Amino acid sequence: MFDLMGSTIFFASYGNVFGLSNVAISSFDILAAYVVAVIVSVIVALLLRLPLLPGKPYRYSFDVSAVYPTPIIAVGVLSIFIVLNYTFMYNGLLLAVVIGILSALFVKYLFDFVFPKPLSEDNGEDIDE
């Protein structure tokens, strides 16, 4: 009868919590913001000396790298802001740069604390190669 979740998202994006919502943002601006977030997050991750690719074997590696999960986190956080219609300045490009920097810093310094590596099956300790 009532679509509470849909109504909540609609009103949060329509009025915005801080009243700073944009009138309209085009799909090109959204795509440009995603590309900027991915590029900035990878560049900052490489500057922070994260490896470009995780350790081998790639499929079972729990190592963080500049390619995964850094841009994935940046795109996810940027998506939350875009859905809430909070794009800040320059149609979301400045927000994309800030989120790209913060996601690289998060992956470098906090990712292992928030998402610890799984325990090995043999001796119950963390998996380290």
Side-chain angles (χ1 to χ4, degrees):
M1 184 166 168
F2 295 111
D3 186 15
L4 182 61
M5 186 61 95
S7 300
T8 305
I9 292 173
F10 172 73
F11 287 117
S13 66
Y14 179 73
N16 203 345
V17 178
F18 302 109
L20 299 172
S21 64
N22 289 334
V23 174
I25 184 169
S26 69
S27 59
F28 177 76
D29 292 333
I30 293 173
L31 182 64
Y34 282 138
V35 169
V36 167
V38 167
I39 291 172
V40 168
S41 66
V42 170
I43 289 173
V44 172
L46 290 174
L47 290 176
L48 290 173
R49 306 254 187 233
L50 279 174
L52 182 63
L53 296 172
K56 290 187 179 180
Y58 298 128
R59 187 172 187 178
Y60 300 108
S61 177
F62 292 99
D63 298 334
V64 294
S65 66
V67 174
Y68 182 81
T70 311
I72 310 306
I73 291 173
V75 167
V77 173
L78 183 62
S79 296
I80 292 171
F81 281 100
I82 288 175
V83 165
L84 293 177
N85 202 15
Y86 183 75
T87 55
F88 196 51
M89 296 170 57
Y90 306 115
N91 290 334
L93 292 179
L94 184 62
L95 184 66
V97 170
V98 170
I99 288 174
I101 292 169
L102 291 178
S103 68
L105 290 171
F106 172 77
V107 168
K108 173 70 176 179
Y109 296 111
L110 296 175
F111 189 80
D112 289 330
F113 293 112
V114 176
F115 305 107
K117 293 181 181 179
L119 300 175
S120 68
E121 296 177 0
D122 298 337
N123 53 8
E125 295 180 2
D126 288 343
I127 298 175
D128 286 332
E129 259 98 326

